[in-house]
Amino acid sequence: MALSRVQGEDELYIGGLWALRRSDALKDRNITHVLSVVGFNPSSLKNFKDEPWHQYGSGFRHMTVDIDDVDDTNLLVELPQAVKFIHQGLQGQEAPTDPPSEHDAAAPAVDASSSPSAVAAAAEETVEAGLEGLKITDPPKTKGGVFVHCMAGKSRSAAVVVAYLLWRYPARFDTVTPSRPRKESAQEAVQAALDLVRCSRPMAEPNPGFMDQLRLWWEMECPSDVEGHHLYQRWAYQREVEENLAVGMAPSRLRFEDEHARPHSEDTSLSLRCKKCRRTLASSPFIIDHKSPSDPSSPTSPSSACPHHFIEPLSWMRGELEKSALNGRLLCPNARCGAAVGRYDWKGFKCTCGLWVTPAFSLQRARVDDVTKPAAGAPGSGSKQGLAMRMGIRMPPRAAPREGNL
């Protein structure tokens, strides 16, 4: 199947490289824009060197995103410009192009990965509001069609089309509870968008690395600036950590999540405090959801057998982590305390519940107190007991009132 139309109101097509040979078939479908998620350099097309690629796609607005179909390829950084190009084509807008470079002479295309500044500069002439502004742009009188392809129309092109659908029609793919956090709905939303593509192209199957990135794309709310998003920066840092660990080294660069926290993420409903000196070590935004392998859908409760609280690396660990050791102990940062509160291992370790965490920063439940802050307006939130809970003071248990005192 060389060419498949994605179900919906848009003239959006997905396919393989060979569909470019049939320019007449593309024009019959009113296709005006072609997005090639594959390179046209001689090394990637060495098996097709006799094909006259300079003739294929010459009558279309053409953009190239040269990436490989491997799990560790960074697809996320390419998605904003790819999504913008698709939307402009479907709305009948002129899309920006760069002059073909020397190695692209075989196929007039825009190499989006090598000249993002030129693409962004040209885009400002047609869409001043950027990617977000495209959502409210009045549709032109004549709409066009867009063909997205890679080599086989299976992984790379499918991933880009899914990314576009998630950006363009978010409410369509979060059908359970639209108000729930994006992180919780990422799996279902990405799968729903992929299922829609598979209705017309059953072979569509992005590789596992692309699927993970599509879930992050959804969680980030499909931003116009991916590299500036805190979730992307954390994801990119984790990739750096993995690269260092692959050669047996601790990370050469340290990132502490509390130094990159967003203003509206100051959720302190749960805090973990040193049992000895009551110093706060971690709060809710930096406590990692601990899910049992036996029941992945449910996080383990504090009363479970797991002896660990897994947390993000925080700035109070700086002195220990700057030693560049692969593992070690975590001590309370209070200079007068210095109690051992946990341990870390960049390579990760396995919890007694069976969950493997990598990298692992653990606070031992026996060494910390879980302090829960009652929600505003909750019963007891204004009482002495509620005040004590907010301040982390352990109050003695109160005896139940006798009937005669009622």
Side-chain angles (χ1 to χ4, degrees):
M1 189 185 302
L3 188 67
S4 306
R5 182 179 182 275
V6 179
Q7 290 188 3
E9 57 268 31
D10 297 319
E11 294 299 318
L12 179 58
Y13 296 83
I14 179 175
L17 182 65
W18 294 103
L20 284 182
R21 301 176 67 185
R22 296 292 307 275
S23 297
D24 54 340
L26 300 183
K27 292 179 180 178
D28 289 344
R29 291 171 171 81
N30 195 33
I31 291 175
T32 57
H33 291 59
V34 173
L35 175 59
S36 299
V37 197
V38 62
F40 283 90
N41 54 70
S43 60
S44 63
L45 297 175
K46 59 184 178 181
N47 296 329
F48 311 101
K49 58 183 180 180
D50 296 330
E51 287 288 326
W53 297 111
H54 62 284
Q55 299 177 10
Y56 303 149
S58 58
F60 306 95
R61 301 292 293 182
H62 195 185
M63 179 177 178
T64 299
V65 177
D66 187 357
I67 60 174
D68 296 323
D69 183 20
V70 291
D71 288 0
D72 60 355
T73 292
N74 190 340
L75 174 67
L76 279 168
V77 294
E78 310 292 351
L79 292 182
Q81 58 187 348
V83 165
K84 181 186 297 184
F85 181 86
I86 294 173
H87 190 75
Q88 289 173 331
L90 293 176
Q91 298 300 310
Q93 300 174 8
E94 287 294 317
T97 58
D98 289 336
S101 60
E102 186 174 345
H103 71 80
D104 285 332
V110 178
D111 190 348
S113 61
S114 63
S115 55
S117 58
V119 174
E124 290 179 358
E125 299 178 2
T126 54
V127 188
E128 295 181 355
L131 185 60
E132 297 299 329
L134 289 172
K135 295 183 179 180
I136 59 175
T137 301
D138 293 331
K141 296 181 180 179
T142 303
K143 294 187 177 183
V146 177
F147 174 49
V148 183
H149 80 91
C150 52
M151 288 297 293
K154 179 181 179 180
S155 179
R156 286 168 286 189
S157 57
V160 170
V161 170
V162 167
Y164 173 77
L165 294 174
L166 293 172
W167 170 80
R168 186 70 175 89
Y169 306 105
R172 187 177 298 178
F173 302 109
D174 190 9
T175 57
V176 181
T177 308
S179 60
R180 63 179 172 165
R182 286 264 181 147
K183 185 175 182 179
E184 296 180 6
S185 61
Q187 178 71 32
E188 295 89 342
V190 172
Q191 189 60 49
L194 179 58
D195 289 342
L196 177 62
V197 176
R198 284 175 173 169
C199 288
S200 55
R201 194 168 186 81
M203 66 183 296
E205 185 179 356
N207 68 53
F210 289 170
M211 290 294 288
D212 289 340
Q213 293 179 57
L214 287 171
R215 286 187 282 268
L216 186 58
W217 167 253
W218 171 261
E219 185 181 348
M220 292 190 297
E221 300 185 5
C222 311
S224 58
D225 179 15
V226 166
E227 294 181 274
H229 199 284
H230 74 284
L231 289 178
Y232 172 83
Q233 293 171 357
R234 183 168 62 180
W235 174 82
Y237 177 68
Q238 290 172 346
R239 287 164 62 98
E240 287 184 34
V241 172
E242 292 173 358
E243 291 174 358
N244 280 269
L245 293 178
V247 293
M249 296 176 55
S252 56
R253 180 175 72 92
L254 296 175
R255 171 186 168 90
F256 301 105
E257 293 304 321
D258 53 336
E259 296 179 347
H260 299 273
R262 294 172 296 169
H264 60 277
S265 65
E266 299 297 328
D267 175 18
T268 56
S269 58
L270 173 64
S271 60
L272 305 177
R273 303 188 181 188
C274 174
K275 190 178 287 290
K276 183 177 179 180
C277 72
R278 310 296 297 160
R279 167 70 180 265
T280 298
L281 301 175
S283 56
S284 299
F286 312 113
I287 300 174
I288 299 174
D289 291 337
H290 192 174
K291 297 184 178 180
S292 171
S294 59
D295 185 9
S297 62
S298 302
T300 57
S301 63
S303 60
S304 66
C306 300
H308 304 281
H309 284 291
F310 290 101
I311 63 174
E312 303 281 1
L314 302 175
S315 55
W316 61 265
M317 306 176 188
R318 187 186 306 273
E320 173 63 29
L321 299 185
E322 285 181 344
K323 297 177 182 178
S324 299
L326 287 173
N327 53 65
R329 295 194 306 165
L330 295 175
L331 305 180
C332 176
N334 185 347
R336 296 184 178 182
C337 178
V341 292
R343 62 192 180 102
Y344 71 93
D345 194 320
W346 286 106
K347 294 182 178 180
F349 59 80
K350 190 176 183 179
C351 180
T352 55
C353 72
L355 180 71
W356 189 276
V357 180
T358 304
F361 294 84
S362 164
L363 296 179
Q364 294 181 356
R365 291 187 186 274
R367 301 294 181 91
V368 299
D369 284 329
D370 306 353
V371 179
T372 303
K373 179 181 178 181
S381 59
S383 64
K384 292 182 179 180
Q385 186 75 12
L387 177 61
M389 292 175 65
R390 292 196 298 274
M391 296 179 64
I393 302 174
R394 287 176 286 186
M395 300 290 288
R398 294 190 300 173
R402 298 180 180 178
E403 294 183 3
N405 294 333
L406 296 177

